[in-house]
Structure formats: C-alpha cells, structure tokens
Amino acid sequence: MTIKSGIYEHYKGGRYRVIDIARHSETEEWMVLYQPLYGEQKLWVRPFDMFAETVNIDGNDVPRFRFIGSE
C-alpha cells in the first residue's frame, strides 16, 4: 500500500501535505499521516481507504483528496 507524498487538495478546498502512511497498532489498518496547510498545522491521520476514496458531488465522482504536486 503506497501513496505519493506531496500536496493534496480536499474536494471542499483545503490543502494538505501527505507525509507518509502508517499502520494502526491495534487494528493493523493502514492510515495516512497528513498535515493541514492552514491553521495550527498539527498532524492528523485518516484511514487510507477513506483518504483514497471518491465522493459523489452533484452526480460526479471526484477524489476526496486530489494530488496537486510534490513540494
């Protein structure tokens, strides 16, 4: 399981830096470690499957997070 490090844009508009993936110690679920590029910029994790999924907006499937480039 891999994800490209770099800058992603959430479908609602926020930008985030993806740092790496990690495994949850209890469930062994893959998580994405990322940092918002606004506000306090604290680190967050989100399940990999949720990070990589598509969402339906007005009848169109779009990625929840769209890769926009390396740093």
Side-chain angles (χ1 to χ4, degrees), residues 6-21:
I7 307 301
Y8 287 74
E9 186 171 74
H10 190 269
Y11 75 96
K12 292 181 182 176
R15 290 199 173 181
Y16 302 83
R17 174 180 294 114
V18 167
I19 299 163
D20 208 344
I21 59 172

Side-chain angles (χ1 to χ4, degrees), residues 54-63:
T54 59
V55 294
N56 190 282
I57 306 299
D58 299 326
N60 298 308
D61 287 335
V62 298

Side-chain angles (χ1 to χ4, degrees), residues 16-20 32-36 41-47 51 65:
Y16 302 83
R17 174 180 294 114
V18 167
I19 299 163
D20 208 344
V32 176
L33 175 64
Y34 67 100
Q35 177 184 37
Q41 299 187 4
K42 294 189 178 204
L43 298 178
W44 291 80
V45 294
R46 180 182 291 253
F51 191 94
F65 290 91

